[in-house]
């Protein structure tokens, strides 16, 4: 695997409104990360990502997470 092909960037955005008739119940979620492919692309990978969920509901606090994952395929 060529050095420039060992890395991938990921991103995701979600908008969720569980009830259109209710105000201020929406959630937004952002995920951004970088993956390092140890060998064949999408086979054995290390992924570091940041996940942030923003809740509009007054009784919920925002969720922030930094996650390191190792994917091993046989």
């Amino acid at each position: 695997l060529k050095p420039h092909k060992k890395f991938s960037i990921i991103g995701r955005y979600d908008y969720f409104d569980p009830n259109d008739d209710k105000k201020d119940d929406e959630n937004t979620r952002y995920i951004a990360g970088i993956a390092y492919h140890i060998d064949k692309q999408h086979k054995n990978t290390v992924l570091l990502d940041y996940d942030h969920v923003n809740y509009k509901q007054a009784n919920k606090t925002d969720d922030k997470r930094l996650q390191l994952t190792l994917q091993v395929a046989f």
Side-chain angles (χ1 to χ4, degrees):
L1 200 59
K2 294 179 182 179
H4 69 281
K5 293 191 175 192
K6 286 190 164 270
F7 291 93
S8 297
I9 296 173
I10 65 159
R12 175 175 154 181
Y13 170 78
D14 295 331
Y15 174 81
F16 181 66
D17 186 357
N19 185 347
D20 289 336
D21 298 327
K22 188 176 179 183
K23 188 177 169 126
D24 292 334
D25 68 337
E26 302 91 1
N27 305 329
T28 55
R29 181 178 195 173
Y30 306 90
I31 301 173
I34 187 166
Y36 175 75
H37 307 282
I38 299 167
D39 53 10
K40 294 180 182 176
Q41 200 164 18
H42 309 297
K43 191 86 166 153
N44 297 312
T45 305
V46 177
L47 172 66
L48 177 66
D49 67 66
Y50 175 73
D51 186 345
H52 178 93
V53 181
N54 182 14
Y55 297 101
K56 287 275 191 170
Q57 298 92 329
N59 61 340
K60 289 188 175 183
T61 57
D62 291 353
D63 186 20
K64 299 173 187 168
R65 183 176 309 151
L66 185 63
Q67 182 171 282
L68 180 65
T69 306
L70 172 64
Q71 173 183 296
V72 179
F74 298 92

